[in-house]
Amino acid sequence: MVHKPLCFVLMPFGKKSAGGEKPIDFDAVYRDLIKPAVEQAGLEPIRADEEQAGGIIHKPMFERLVLCDFAVADLTTANANVFYELGVRHAAKPRTTVLLYAEGQGRLPFDVAPLRAMPYPIGSRGGPANTGASVKTLVDKIKAARKNLEKDSPLYQLLDGYPDLAHEKTDVFRSQVAYTAELKNKLSEARKLGRDAIYEVELTLGALDDEEAGVIVDLFLSYRGAKAWPDMVRIFDKIDAPLQNTILIREQFAFALNRAGNSEKAEEVLLDLIEQRGASSETYGILGRVYKDRWRTASNEKKPTKAKGFLKQAIEAYSRGFEADWRDAYPGINALTLIHVFDPNDKRISELRSVVEYAVRRKIATGTPDYWDYATLLELGVLSHDRVLSEEHLADLIPRVREPWEPETTADNIQLLADALPNDSEERAWILAVITELRSVAKDKTV
């Protein structure tokens, strides 16, 4: 499943006078110039709905302006909606906005005159003329924007330190998105009751591709909390393309695909995401889980050679995730545990253990620790054969459990370490007690 980057098109609709002898047919400009150029540049064009362009800009419009990877804005006629949308875009994105305007249709307003914009000729019927050359020029400009690291937003160019939009961690996103408090409360209550209650809330919504981003993300993550993987997969295809194309949603879609038994498609989504957006600890962490699950399946099927290959892939994915962001200890502890399973004498273990522990302790010292930080300390305690420390971290972890699959995942990881010990080992006995406690917490969290 290859997702083309999205390009949002900001422009007037229909035929509008721009100060020339004849009105310009902007639908023809889109059809014959902008749309083919965007597609030839390897992007997927999205044009604003005409009814939205003529009135109040809805929240989904703002979301498209912020979430789309690229934008093309036609500044001809100095259309008020287009200029407002351009201002929103420039405030949200430091780069990847391409400007154009029709030649001979009056000057651009003073505020945007200094910006680099591509002129295109207009024919006698009001549509674009010399479309072959104009399309080629626009394709080149869009491709240049894809490669160019320079900022094209005046805000980002002129104001030092003007902030780029940060990609929020999945586990804190729900608490930070802003939308109707009543609906947020309904989903919060539904999560306590389980999948069917969440589905009842979903039925009260309108078309998902027209809903606010915050609602969709919360619904998506609510199904995750209920371990309703098929529902996450189901609603992915129903949501708006710009939101569907975001890193967070695609990562969680792959997460759900893998949990639903479709690891091949999950792997495809994650590799596509890495190719398009680059390495990240979260993406590689989920990819590592895909390979780890394949390793377990092959091991249970008594296919040692196949299992060994998947285990190596899992270690590599988790290691790359930790290398992508040393502050995120989650892929680091997973790499460490699997390396220990693969070869307890591996020279990497001692060094990696120190780095992972430093990373998680620095995270906790910032005052923003979460479940996974204490789960990491627990696994480090088990790896260090320290019963007292492990039990202390278990006590710290339990109050921070949010969803039942979290302690289940930690229990499964620690089980790998217990399985490597002799059955009559005293150490194995207390590790199994830790695992039992984790599974009991997961059961209590499950409806």
Side-chain angles (χ1 to χ4, degrees):
M1 175 184 294
V2 177
H3 284 260
K4 290 183 179 180
L6 301 175
C7 182
F8 193 48
V9 179
L10 294 60
M11 65 182 302
F13 287 84
K15 294 182 179 181
K16 300 285 190 305
S17 176
E21 294 182 1
K22 293 185 178 181
I24 297 176
D25 185 348
F26 285 101
D27 293 341
V29 171
Y30 176 74
R31 181 187 66 241
D32 300 334
L33 170 57
I34 297 177
K35 186 173 186 287
V38 169
E39 291 175 339
Q40 289 179 36
L43 309 178
E44 181 179 341
I46 296 181
R47 192 183 184 193
D49 296 329
E50 185 169 3
E51 63 271 15
Q52 289 182 342
I56 297 173
I57 299 179
H58 299 172
K59 187 170 180 179
M61 172 73 83
F62 286 109
E63 292 166 352
R64 292 181 179 95
L65 286 167
V66 172
L67 296 175
C68 281
D69 302 289
F70 297 86
V72 170
D74 190 331
L75 306 182
T76 314
T77 75
N79 180 277
N81 284 324
V82 171
F83 273 68
Y84 183 82
E85 293 158 12
L86 178 62
V88 172
R89 177 74 183 185
H90 276 164
K93 292 285 188 182
R95 51 184 66 85
T96 66
T97 301
V98 176
L99 308 179
L100 71 162
Y101 65 95
E103 289 180 329
Q105 304 296 320
R107 294 181 177 181
L108 290 175
F110 175 80
D111 288 341
V112 297
L115 302 180
R116 298 175 184 174
M118 169 196 143
Y120 63 89
I122 292 295
S124 59
R125 296 185 178 182
N130 196 13
T131 53
S134 294
V135 167
K136 183 180 183 304
T137 301
L138 184 53
V139 168
D140 291 342
K141 283 193 167 291
I142 295 172
K143 286 183 175 180
R146 296 188 70 171
K147 297 178 181 178
N148 193 357
L149 297 180
E150 292 184 6
K151 300 170 183 175
D152 55 46
S153 163
L155 275 170
Y156 286 84
Q157 289 172 340
L158 301 176
L159 301 180
D160 291 337
Y162 187 79
D164 198 350
L165 292 181
H167 166 60
E168 300 290 353
K169 286 283 291 179
T170 301
D171 293 325
V172 300
F173 188 94
R174 181 190 293 129
S175 63
Q176 295 183 350
V177 293
Y179 65 93
T180 307
E182 181 182 0
L183 188 51
K184 182 177 284 191
N185 291 335
K186 284 183 179 179
L187 276 172
S188 178
E189 291 302 314
R191 285 194 297 275
K192 299 175 185 177
L193 300 175
R195 181 267 169 192
D196 290 346
I198 298 169
Y199 182 65
E200 288 298 321
V201 176
E202 181 189 342
L203 292 178
T204 67
L205 304 177
L208 296 186
D209 62 356
D210 197 37
E211 270 294 347
E212 296 181 11
V215 176
I216 299 303
V217 172
D218 201 348
L219 177 66
F220 207 57
L221 298 183
S222 293
Y223 276 131
R224 186 189 72 165
K227 298 192 290 186
W229 321 122
D231 287 296
M232 293 178 70
V233 174
R234 171 180 58 80
I235 68 174
F236 178 81
D237 289 330
K238 294 184 177 182
I239 63 180
D240 194 31
L243 181 59
Q244 187 185 78
N245 206 44
T246 58
I247 294 174
L248 183 147
I249 291 294
R250 286 166 68 182
E251 284 174 341
Q252 293 306 306
F253 175 53
F255 180 91
L257 284 169
N258 184 58
R259 290 298 186 100
N262 194 344
S263 71
E264 288 77 14
K265 192 171 182 181
E267 179 185 25
E268 180 184 342
V269 170
L270 293 167
L271 291 176
D272 178 43
L273 186 54
I274 291 168
E275 181 179 354
Q276 286 190 12
R277 305 295 183 91
S280 81
S281 60
E282 187 99 353
T283 308
Y284 267 118
I286 298 172
L287 183 61
R289 177 57 192 255
V290 170
Y291 295 139
K292 183 166 74 172
D293 287 346
R294 290 181 184 175
W295 162 62
R296 283 174 165 163
T297 299
S299 298
N300 292 335
E301 293 174 351
K302 309 299 182 185
K303 299 176 179 177
T305 303
K306 193 174 182 180
K308 184 177 180 180
F310 288 139
L311 182 54
K312 285 184 174 180
Q313 281 186 300
I315 291 171
E316 181 181 6
Y318 281 127
S319 297
R320 288 190 176 185
F322 192 42
E323 289 168 2
D325 187 353
W326 297 99
R327 298 166 300 176
D328 188 354
Y330 175 77
I333 188 62
N334 276 278
L336 182 58
T337 298
L338 294 184
I339 291 172
H340 190 278
V341 171
F342 187 78
D343 180 5
N345 299 314
D346 193 304
K347 295 179 180 179
R348 292 174 291 176
I349 291 177
S350 177
E351 180 180 352
L352 185 57
R353 179 189 295 151
S354 299
V355 179
V356 170
E357 182 171 3
Y358 178 79
V360 70
R361 290 198 180 280
R362 288 308 306 155
K363 170 75 181 305
I364 291 175
T366 64
T368 57
D370 63 11
Y371 169 86
W372 295 112
D373 297 320
Y374 290 99
T376 297
L377 288 177
L378 173 57
E379 288 190 50
L380 286 169
V382 174
L383 280 165
S384 301
H385 314 287
D386 191 324
R387 177 177 182 175
V388 173
L389 193 61
S390 297
E391 291 176 348
E392 179 181 331
H393 293 320
L394 177 63
D396 290 333
L397 171 153
I398 289 175
R400 293 173 170 84
V401 174
R402 296 158 298 199
E403 297 173 348
W405 62 269
E406 293 174 330
E408 287 176 357
T409 297
T410 305
D412 288 345
N413 285 350
I414 297 176
Q415 185 72 54
L416 298 175
L417 302 174
D419 291 344
L421 298 171
N423 288 335
D424 58 353
S425 165
E426 182 178 338
E427 181 180 355
R428 188 174 191 273
W430 70 258
I431 293 176
L432 290 176
V434 169
I435 294 170
T436 299
E437 184 73 17
L438 287 167
R439 297 201 189 282
S440 175
V441 173
K443 185 177 180 181
D444 291 342
K445 282 285 181 178
T446 304
V447 177

